[in-house]
Every structure is written in C-alpha cells, then in structure tokens.
Amino acid sequence: MTTSSTPKSHPLLVFSFLLLLLGRSSLAKKERCHPEDKRVLLKIKKAFNDPYILTSWIPDAIGDLPYLQNIFFHKLANFSGPIPYSITKLKYLKSLTISWVNLTGTIPDFLGQLKNLTYLNLSFNNLTGPIPTTLSQIPNLGYIGLDRNKLTGTIPASLVNPKSPPYLILSHNQLSGEIPSSFGDVDFGKIDLSRNKLRGDISMLFGRNKTTQIMDFSRNMFEFNMSNLEIHPSLTFLDLNHNKIYGSIPDVMTQLELQGFNVSYNRLCGKIPQGGTLQTRFDYSAYFHNRCLCGAPLNITC
Ligand SMILES: *[C@@H]1O[C@H](CO)[C@@H](O)[C@H](O)[C@H]1NC(C)=O
Ligand SMILES: *[C@@H]1O[C@H](CO)[C@@H](O)[C@H](O)[C@H]1NC(C)=O
Ligand SMILES: *[C@@H]1O[C@H](CO)[C@@H](O)[C@H](O)[C@H]1NC(C)=O
Ligand SMILES: *[C@@H]1O[C@H](CO)[C@@H](O)[C@H](O)[C@H]1NC(C)=O
Ligand SMILES: *[C@@H]1O[C@H](CO)[C@@H](O)[C@H](O)[C@H]1NC(C)=O
Ligand SMILES: *[C@@H]1O[C@H](CO)[C@@H](O)[C@H](O)[C@H]1NC(C)=O
Ligand SMILES: *[C@@H]1O[C@H](CO)[C@@H](O)[C@H](O)[C@H]1NC(C)=O
Ligand SMILES: CC(=O)N[C@H]1CO[C@H](CO)[C@@H](O)[C@@H]1O
C-alpha cells in the first residue's frame, strides 16, 4: 500500500494519498474519513495550493489530524525544511516515512512523543546533527531508517529497545565512535551501519543466539578478531569490507546459506575455509586486499 510519486509530481497527489490512508478502525466502513479529519484535510489541500507553503512545507494543519496513522512523503520536488512540531499532535501515528524530500535541520527530540510509532523512515534527506536519545521513549519502534543523511555524533546506547527487535539502518552518514555495548543484548533483524566513521569491536553483535539476517558494517573502522566468531544459521548477508578486521575467517561460515559475503580490504590472514557457499557464490573480490588470506577463490596458495 505504498505510492511513490516522481520528483515532478504535484503535492496534491500526496494529499490524496493521505486521504486514502485516513480513518479509524472504529468508524463504519463506508465512512472512510473521520469528519473532523476531512475538514482539516480540505484545509491542507487549500494550503498546498498556496505557493507560500513551499517555505514551510508540512502545513501546521497536519497536526489537526489526530487520527492519521500513516504518513508517506517520498520524492517531492521543491519540498525542503525541518520536521514541524505540529506532527506531535498525531497521537495515533504508526508509520512515518519522509524520504527523498530534502529534509533539513536536526532530527527533533519531540519525535519521541509519537508513542504509537512502529516504523520511522527518514532516509535520503539532508538531516544533520546527532540521533536524538528520545527515540528510545517510543515503546514499539521496530524499524529505524535514518540512512543517507549527514548525521554526526555517536549512536546513543538507548536508541534501541531490546523488546522490539529492530531493523536499524544508519548507513551513509558521518556517525563516529563505538557501538554501545548494550547492543550486544539485542537480536536485530537487520543492522546496516555501513559508510560511517564508526570504530571499535562489534563482535558482541554476533553470537549463536542471534537471529539477525542482514549485517552490513562495510566502510567503517571496525577492529576485532574474527577467528572465534559464533554465528547463527539465519545470517544470509554479511558485508565487512573496508575495516580493520584481523584474525582469520571462522569455519562456521561454511555452514551458512550466504547470499552476500564480503571481507575484502581488511587485515585477515590464514586459509579461507573451503565449502558451503564461500567458493561457489563469491569470487576473489570478496576476499582481496587482506594481510595474508590464502586459498580459493584467491589465486594464492597457502
Ligand atoms: C519547482 O520549482 C521550480 C523553480 O522554482 C519550478 O520551475 C518547478 O515547476 C517547481 N516544481 C513543482 C513540482 O512545483
Ligand atoms: C542535500 O543538499 C544538497 C546541497 O544543498 C543537494 O545537492 C542534495 O540534492 C540534497 N539532498 C537531497 C536528498 O535532497
Ligand atoms: C535542499 O535544501 C537546501 C537548503 O534549503 C538547498 O540549498 C538545496 O538547494 C536543496 N536541494 C534540493 C535538491 O532541493
Ligand atoms: C525508506 O524509504 C525509502 C523510500 O521509500 C525506501 O527506498 C527504503 O527502502 C526505506 N527504508 C527502509 C529501511 O524501509
Ligand atoms: C543462548 O540461549 C540459550 C537458550 O535460551 C541459553 O541457555 C544460553 O545461555 C544463551 N547463550 C548466550 C551466549 O547467550
Ligand atoms: C585471534 O584469535 C585467535 C583465536 O583466539 C588467536 O589464535 C589469534 O592469535 C588471534 N589473532 C590475532 C591477530 O590476535
Ligand atoms: C567486495 O567489496 C569490494 C569493495 O567494495 C568490491 O570491490 C567487490 O566487488 C565486492 N565483491 C563482492 C563479491 O561483493
Ligand atoms: C502502543 C501505544 O503507545 N499505544 C497508544 C496509541 O495512542 C493512544 C492514544 O494516545 C494511546 O492510548 C495508546 O496507549
């Protein structure tokens, strides 16, 4: 149930999409839109016709739609600016996507007031500053996508709520520092921290009990000994390229049904374990530029 307008599409398309998503479950099925919401939507429609809105792009009136559950803004031309405070009036909001719209400023602390949020996607914008610690005040936030912005600072330890095993996508930012050790207690579904300036040991994110499927830590400065990593069979994608990982590739990797695997540009040594998908699915480029890795598919004998 998603729509994505092209960069040239008119804001009114989004308005009509909002209209489609409206409604309280308690309402009679034929009455799609709460009457009060309808009145406000008409106000928003008027606002979108007013070119002035382009300077403060989400009209304040959006906060007068208390029953709205989903917001999906994607690839809208000429939209730019910060997230408005009025969004906190949307007490029932479950899903918030504002992506590819040149959102600027910081991620506001007040997003933590959206207690019903389960999905947050602010990817592909120009957001700056740190990740607010207030996101941890949202009890069931299971999906956090803040990728492809200009976020800085460290990842707050409180960001992730272990009770709602999260998808955490923070790739393509300028985040720095180490991963909070408390993340070792979390069983992520997917974790993508690629293309940041993160460093330190992330071996606590692995383990026999973790059912994580996708891990992308590529292009950071992570540094740990890979030799004794324990990995659950659910892992299907592991990208570690361009870090400072040392030791050797553990034999357990041959027992996984890997769709993606890349340890190139690290400091690994020793023989690449032979078997599983390690030779059949991945060529030398998944292994090259290490300190002293050898064996197939590298053309280096051990
Ligand atoms: C965006 O702004 C440019 C320049 O002001 C204008 O030419 C274009 O028509 C606008 N696009 C939309 C979809 O309003
Ligand atoms: C972010 O801003 C830069 C420069 O202002 C611009 O070139 C870029 O297209 C913007 N990114 C997005 C996703 O709008
Ligand atoms: C994004 O917003 C910035 C700041 O308002 C502006 O300078 C830039 O031109 C915008 N970029 C696009 C692609 O709209
Ligand atoms: C966030 O939204 C963008 C645009 O719709 C989409 O490409 C991306 O996959 C979404 N990210 C996540 C983590 O859902
Ligand atoms: C893994 O899970 C089992 C069963 O739940 C538990 O006994 C064990 O202590 C866990 N191991 C680790 C390393 O957390
Ligand atoms: C990595 O760990 C293995 C197993 O504990 C150990 O034998 C090896 O010396 C370590 N490698 C480095 C470079 O510290
Ligand atoms: C592994 O990553 C390197 C560096 O980004 C890239 O050049 C190579 O094509 C990748 N190989 C595979 C099999 O993914
Ligand atoms: C899970 C959750 O926070 N649910 C809340 C959704 O919003 C209503 C209205 O504010 C609250 O009563 C629920 O507790």
Side-chain angles (χ1 to χ4, degrees):
M1 210 174 70
T2 57
T3 184
S4 56
S5 34
T6 66
K8 282 185 191 118
S9 74
H10 194 275
L12 276 182
L13 287 179
V14 177
F15 160 73
S16 52
F17 185 67
L18 288 178
L19 200 70
L20 278 175
L21 289 176
L22 271 170
R24 268 195 312 182
S25 47
S26 59
L27 288 174
K29 286 212 167 66
K30 60 177 176 186
E31 182 58 270
R32 189 167 225 163
C33 186
H34 192 274
E36 174 61 10
D37 283 356
K38 195 167 180 175
R39 191 185 61 76
V40 178
L41 278 170
L42 291 173
K43 205 159 105 192
I44 294 178
K45 180 180 173 185
K46 190 160 176 289
F48 273 128
N49 278 328
D50 177 354
Y52 176 73
I53 203 62
L54 300 179
T55 59
S56 65
W57 62 273
I58 291 184
D60 266 356
I62 203 169
D64 295 334
L65 296 167
Y67 305 111
L68 195 66
Q69 292 195 0
N70 300 282
I71 290 184
F72 187 93
F73 286 114
H74 180 57
K75 288 203 178 180
L76 299 170
N78 294 354
F79 275 52
S80 170
I83 299 173
Y85 181 73
S86 53
I87 208 165
T88 58
K89 291 191 200 162
L90 303 177
K91 302 254 178 282
Y92 289 88
L93 199 63
K94 282 187 180 157
S95 169
L96 176 60
T97 297
I98 309 179
S99 181
W100 277 103
V101 294
N102 202 11
L103 209 51
T104 56
T106 57
I107 301 176
D109 283 346
F110 57 69
L111 282 190
Q113 294 176 32
L114 296 172
K115 302 288 185 216
N116 278 5
L117 213 57
T118 58
Y119 179 93
L120 175 66
N121 186 343
L122 303 175
S123 68
F124 281 100
N125 287 296
N126 268 320
L127 293 164
T128 51
I131 299 172
T133 55
T134 54
L135 292 182
S136 65
Q137 295 163 9
I138 306 174
N140 297 310
L141 187 56
Y143 196 101
I144 304 176
L146 307 176
D147 51 301
R148 294 173 197 262
N149 279 287
K150 293 171 181 162
L151 300 173
T152 51
T154 56
I155 299 176
S158 59
L159 176 64
V160 164
N161 180 345
K163 282 194 210 108
S164 49
Y167 277 56
L168 183 64
I169 323 293
L170 303 176
S171 60
H172 291 84
N173 278 293
Q174 291 150 32
L175 298 167
S176 56
E178 301 200 9
I179 307 307
S181 56
S182 59
F183 280 22
D185 301 330
V186 181
D187 188 15
F188 290 96
K190 170 177 175 178
I191 180 166
D192 182 353
L193 307 177
S194 63
R195 293 183 190 250
N196 278 288
K197 297 172 180 167
L198 298 161
R199 59 187 162 75
D201 186 352
I202 47 167
S203 56
M204 77 289 191
L205 297 175
F206 296 82
R208 222 182 312 206
N209 284 2
K210 310 271 185 184
T211 57
T212 311
Q213 291 163 294
I214 298 174
M215 294 179 144
D216 192 344
F217 301 117
S218 62
R219 295 184 190 257
N220 279 286
M221 294 174 282
F222 292 125
E223 195 167 359
F224 64 99
N225 186 340
M226 197 178 175
S227 303
N228 285 343
L229 273 197
E230 290 189 345
I231 299 177
H232 188 275
S234 57
L235 188 68
T236 59
F237 185 98
L238 178 62
D239 197 343
L240 297 170
N241 87 71
H242 283 94
N243 280 288
K244 299 176 178 174
I245 298 162
Y246 56 92
S248 57
I249 300 174
D251 285 339
V252 67
M253 300 306 309
T254 62
Q255 291 158 30
L256 307 178
E257 217 10 87
L258 290 167
Q259 305 295 324
F261 182 62
N262 199 327
V263 293
S264 65
Y265 294 90
N266 277 292
R267 296 174 181 174
L268 294 164
C269 268
K271 186 173 184 193
I272 299 169
Q274 303 290 301
T277 56
L278 291 189
Q279 281 71 35
T280 52
R281 280 211 186 127
F282 312 108
D283 65 7
Y284 71 99
S285 71
Y287 303 94
F288 65 179
H289 292 278
N290 270 286
R291 185 160 287 165
C292 48
L293 272 184
C294 60
L298 290 177
N299 200 9
I300 305 170
T301 46
C302 294

